[in-house]
Structure formats: C-alpha cells, structure tokens
Amino acid sequence: MSIEIKEADISLEFFRASGPGGQHRNTTDSAVRIRHLPTGIVVQASESRSQYRNREVAMERLAAALRQRMQKKRARIATRATRSSVEKRLTHKRITSLKKNLRLKPEE
C-alpha cells in the first residue's frame, strides 16, 4: 500500500545533527525534520552525513506513520473469566487473608 504525500502538506526543516561523527557531522546541516501539516505528525532523521539520505529516511518514516494511523483497530471482544480461574483467584485471596490474620496480636 503506497501513500502519496503532497509537497504542500509537509514542511521541511534542516538542522545540525548532534552526537558522534566528528567534524563532518558538526559542520553541515544534514539532519532533517518533516512536519505533516494536516495530521501534525513530526518525524526526523539524522543518522547519515548526507542530507539527501536523511530526507529519504524521514519520508519513509512519515509514510510508515501515516500507514499506521490509517489502520483501523479491531474492536475488543469481551470475554468472561473461566470458573477455574475465578476459583483459583478466590482461593489465593482466602489464603492471603488467613496469613494476614495470623499476624495480628492475640487478644487478651
């Protein structure tokens, strides 16, 4: 499923990437931040020294985020706990209650 992203719907921002990479990375504005204006989704990429490659990576991330947003969530089907699980839980609660009652100081 391919998503077409219009140039008018995005704003590109270039900035200086931080982190390891030395002089090559610190002197060029190679990091890219893309804002999708209709949805407000913001993605960025700063892995590569190349601004072009970072732009491609950011566009892939934006497309993936839009695909995920378009997917419909299936409704949860409510289920009941089985009888044995309810009994097990209640038995555990009874045992815990008895343990706590044993901690009390005896009445005189």
Side-chain angles (χ1 to χ4, degrees):
M1 181 166 100
S2 177
I3 294 180
E4 187 176 326
I5 301 169
K6 298 176 187 171
E7 287 292 324
D9 289 346
I10 61 173
S11 73
L12 289 169
E13 184 180 337
F14 304 104
F15 59 98
R16 194 159 288 164
S18 63
Q23 195 172 18
H24 293 289
R25 195 163 180 183
N26 296 335
T27 58
T28 60
D29 291 347
S30 60
V32 179
R33 182 179 294 125
I34 299 177
R35 295 178 195 276
H36 190 249
L37 302 175
T39 59
I41 296 174
V42 178
V43 295
Q44 68 182 30
S46 61
E47 289 83 13
S48 175
R49 283 193 213 163
S50 166
Q51 188 182 88
Y52 178 78
R53 179 65 190 136
N54 284 334
R55 183 186 298 184
E56 294 296 317
V57 170
M59 288 298 276
E60 290 170 10
R61 289 180 184 167
L62 179 61
L66 289 172
R67 266 194 304 275
Q68 184 178 10
R69 187 179 175 136
M70 286 175 46
Q71 283 183 347
K72 293 185 179 179
K73 294 182 179 177
R74 293 192 323 204
R76 182 184 175 277
I77 300 171
T79 57
R80 287 181 54 184
T82 61
R83 183 180 293 156
S84 63
S85 68
V86 171
E87 288 174 3
K88 190 185 295 184
R89 185 168 50 242
L90 291 176
T91 304
H92 187 268
K93 286 180 80 164
R94 262 187 238 107
I95 292 170
T96 305
S97 173
L98 290 172
K99 284 180 187 175
K100 287 186 175 185
N101 283 337
L102 289 174
R103 292 183 203 150
L104 295 175
K105 291 182 180 179
E107 294 182 25
E108 292 183 27

